[in-house]
């Protein structure tokens, strides 16, 4: 199954993000929510890595998530203290029964949509007039430039778990530069101290990417006006010329 976030991929999601250091998008989302108050929905809220801290800080946030396992993890991680509203559904067809003041789609999750341009149109529908959207996107430059080998398994990440076992991800990708689709297979493995495999899981992801001008057109077509953009999760980095990661804040235009 594509983009399904089950089994070891769900259980190890936060552990592997933690190897990158403190969550870079959390302060950005906090500032976004302060500047744009009101009920907000995180699309692809996963195990609550970003959603739960924001909810505990008192922001009025909800989560939309397509993986039942990730929703279960989020409920477990909230350990009964937090009753954050979670919706099981896909950004590709979910119907919202309320209108949000803002939407947040961090961690490049919009690129997991089977049609990000259509998802943006749907997002506009979930927002109040004048509502705002926070999204982060990336360009798979290493794959495009051939710095990572296509069609071959390569070691991607590894980290020691709290119980002393080792979690490892191997990745193999194919890239279609014409269709702008990156197809990635991940093999998750857990090894004990003697190197014996304790668990394994394979998953497949399809990510779509767009050039900056194309994102701009898709946002405009969905009824959004870009208000702010910056590179590499650093609000002071306004130049997007060399940017691999771009964060965009856009407003739904009224009328
Ligand atoms: C990269 S993870 C990010 C999770 C969370 N936002 C975070 O930063 O920790 C992407 C999440 O989006 C979910 N997802 C993937 N496709 C989705 C879809 N079509 N609709 C809703 N959620 C989706 C996955 O199950 C996964 O939990």
């Amino acid at each position: 199954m594509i983009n399904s976030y089950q089994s070891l991929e769900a259980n190890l999601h936060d552990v592997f993000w933690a190897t990158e250091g403190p969550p870079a998008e959390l302060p950005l989302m906090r500032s976004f929510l302060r500047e744009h108050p009101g009920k907000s929905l995180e699309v692809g809220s996963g195990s609550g890595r970003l959603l739960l801290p924001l909810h505990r800080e008192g922001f009025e946030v909800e989560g939309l998530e397509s993986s039942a396992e990730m929703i279960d993890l989020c409920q477990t991680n909230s350990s009964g203290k937090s009753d954050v509203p979670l919706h099981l559904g896909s950004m590709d067809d979910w119907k919202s029964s309320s209108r949000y003041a803002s939407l947040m789609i961090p961690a490049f999750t919009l690129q997991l949509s089977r049609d990000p341009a259509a998802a943006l149109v749907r997002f506009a529908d979930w927002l109040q007039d004048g509502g705002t959207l926070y999204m982060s996107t990336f360009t798979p430059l290493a794959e495009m430039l051939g710095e990572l080998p296509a069609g071959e398994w390569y070691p991607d990440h590894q980290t020691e778990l709290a119980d002393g076992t080792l979690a490892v991800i191997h990745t193999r990708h194919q890239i279609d530069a014409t269709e702008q689709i990156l197809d990635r297979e991940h093999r998750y493995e857990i090894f004990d101290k003697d190197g014996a495999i304790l668990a394994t899981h394979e998953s497949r992801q399809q990510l779509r990417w767009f050039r900056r001008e194309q994102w701009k057109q898709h946002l405009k077509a969905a009824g959004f006006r870009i208000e702010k953009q910056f590179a590499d999760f650093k609000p002071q980095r306004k130049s997007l010329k060399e940017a691999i990661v771009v964060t965009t804040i856009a407003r739904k235009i009224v009328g």
Side-chain angles (χ1 to χ4, degrees):
M1 272 222 296
I2 293 180
N3 301 342
S4 59
Y5 281 82
Q6 289 171 342
S7 181
L8 289 186
E9 183 161 59
N11 289 322
L12 296 174
H13 177 272
D14 291 7
V15 176
F16 280 115
W17 272 103
T19 63
E20 315 265 317
E25 292 198 87
L26 188 55
L28 305 177
M29 291 161 76
R30 186 182 291 124
S31 305
F32 171 77
L33 289 172
R34 280 200 190 118
E35 284 168 29
H36 305 95
K39 193 163 70 161
S40 186
L41 178 74
E42 184 191 342
V43 180
S45 48
S47 48
R49 186 181 67 100
L50 303 168
L51 186 72
L52 290 176
L54 294 169
H55 186 251
R56 286 191 193 112
E57 288 169 35
F59 293 106
E60 198 188 345
V61 284
E62 300 185 359
L64 172 68
E65 171 55 52
S66 58
S67 156
E69 286 195 35
M70 292 302 259
I71 293 231
D72 284 350
L73 283 169
C74 188
Q75 276 158 348
T76 305
N77 291 341
S78 75
S79 48
K81 284 177 229 141
S82 148
D83 54 353
V84 61
L86 296 173
H87 308 276
L88 177 64
S90 165
M91 65 181 132
D92 290 322
D93 53 24
W94 187 64
K95 290 192 177 37
S96 176
S97 55
S98 45
R99 291 251 173 155
Y100 294 90
S102 68
L103 297 180
M104 301 180 287
I105 181 152
F108 323 124
T109 300
L110 179 53
Q111 292 170 263
L112 295 175
S113 164
R114 57 173 181 251
D115 184 349
L120 287 171
V121 173
R122 208 165 294 112
F123 293 173
D125 201 42
W126 302 345
L127 279 172
Q128 298 163 3
D129 288 345
T132 41
L133 171 69
Y134 167 108
M135 62 186 233
S136 55
T137 53
F138 85 109
T139 309
L141 209 58
E143 288 89 345
M144 287 161 81
L145 297 176
E147 289 169 2
L148 290 169
E152 285 172 33
W153 288 103
Y154 49 84
D156 195 331
H157 280 84
Q158 71 171 53
T159 189
E160 196 180 309
L161 303 179
D163 62 1
T165 58
L166 187 69
V168 178
I169 310 182
H170 281 81
T171 296
R172 176 168 69 178
H173 76 267
Q174 298 289 349
I175 189 155
D176 183 335
T178 310
E179 292 297 320
Q180 294 174 292
I181 296 178
L182 174 65
D183 199 305
R184 282 205 290 219
E185 290 165 278
H186 295 301
R187 189 172 65 233
Y188 292 83
E189 289 163 314
I190 304 221
F191 294 93
D192 71 10
K193 286 182 186 126
D194 302 318
I197 289 196
L198 299 176
T200 182
H201 172 72
E202 287 197 11
S203 71
R204 193 173 152 211
Q205 277 191 344
Q206 270 196 352
L207 286 136
R208 283 162 172 77
W209 79 91
F210 298 107
R211 294 188 303 279
R212 199 147 39 95
E213 201 48 42
Q214 292 177 305
W215 277 119
K216 212 168 152 183
Q217 280 166 13
H218 291 321
L219 280 160
K220 192 173 173 204
F224 288 100
R225 186 184 57 227
I226 295 173
E227 295 210 323
K228 208 189 273 182
Q229 281 187 308
F230 49 86
D232 308 327
F233 301 137
K234 298 209 162 46
Q236 68 278 16
R237 281 203 195 153
K238 304 276 187 244
S239 169
L240 304 182
K241 250 195 199 152
E242 312 279 314
I244 293 180
V245 171
V246 173
T247 300
T248 299
I249 291 166
R251 190 176 292 278
K252 175 178 167 179
I253 302 159
V254 188

